[in-house]
Amino acid sequence: MVGGSIGKTQGLFGLRAEAAFFPKKYVMSSDIDHNYGLYTTEQLLSGIAIDYFGIRDAMLTFQWFADYMKGARGESKLGRNNLTNTATISLTKYMMNQRIELETFAAYRINEKAMLVDIRTSYLLKDNFKIWLGGDLFTGNNKGLIGFYAKRDRFSIGMEWGLQSKSN
C-alpha cells in the first residue's frame, strides 16, 4: 500500500485530502467458482474533507470518498460498480467543558442510494470512564454495504473504561 495525506487550516476552515493505492487487493467475488470466490484487483481510494470550526464548542465536517477498483466492470465479479462514491456530514457538539458530547453523523452511498444516520451522546463521568447511548438508522437496498442493514435499525448503550497507570 502506498498513500499520503495533506491538510491546511485557514481561519475557521480546514481542508484535508488523502489517497491510498493497493496494487494487489483481494476482495470477495460474486463468482464463487473462480478462485474460491476471491478476486484480485488494484484499488485506489481517495477522500477530501472540509472542516468548519465557526460553531462554538463544535466541529462540522463534510467529506467525499471515492473507491475505484480496476477490472470491476459494472456489477460483474465484484458485485459492485468499479467506482463508488460516498458523501458524509458530521456535527460534533461539546458541552459542560467537554464532559458531554453530542454527535450526529450521516453517510450517503451515492451509487447505491443508501444512507446511514448515526446519533450518539456521551457523558464523561471521570477522565477514564464514559457512558454513551445512540442509534443507527439505515436505508437502501440489500445490494450495498449500508443498504444491507436497511430495516435493521438499532439502539445502543455502552461504556468505555480506560486503565490508568500510576507514575512515580
Side-chain angles (χ1 to χ4, degrees), residues 20 78 100 121 138:
L78 296 180
I100 295 177
T121 185
F138 300 92

Side-chain angles (χ1 to χ4, degrees), residues 40-118:
T40 306
T41 185
E42 295 175 354
Q43 183 180 32
L44 176 64
L45 301 166
S46 63
I48 188 165
I50 299 172
D51 303 319
Y52 176 66
F53 307 102
I55 305 168
R56 185 177 174 186
D57 295 324
M59 185 170 82
L60 179 64
T61 300
F62 300 95
Q63 299 178 107
W64 172 73
F65 299 98
D67 178 354
Y68 174 77
M69 285 194 184
K70 184 179 178 182
R73 301 281 185 251
E75 296 290 327
S76 70
K77 293 193 181 179
L78 296 180
R80 57 164 270 183
N81 290 321
N82 62 334
L83 177 64
T84 58
N85 293 284
T86 305
T88 71
I89 184 170
S90 173
L91 175 63
T92 305
K93 174 78 173 152
Y94 301 99
M95 296 183 288
M96 290 180 53
N97 202 21
Q98 294 192 349
R99 295 192 77 73
I100 295 177
E101 180 180 323
L102 305 171
E103 183 177 17
T104 302
F105 171 82
Y108 182 69
R109 299 277 292 205
I110 296 166
N111 302 65
E112 301 164 6
K113 295 179 178 62
M115 186 165 52
L116 157 68
V117 177
D118 175 67

Side-chain angles (χ1 to χ4, degrees), residues 4-8 15-19:
S5 63
I6 59 172
K8 172 84 172 144
L15 179 64
R16 297 176 283 128
E18 302 175 348

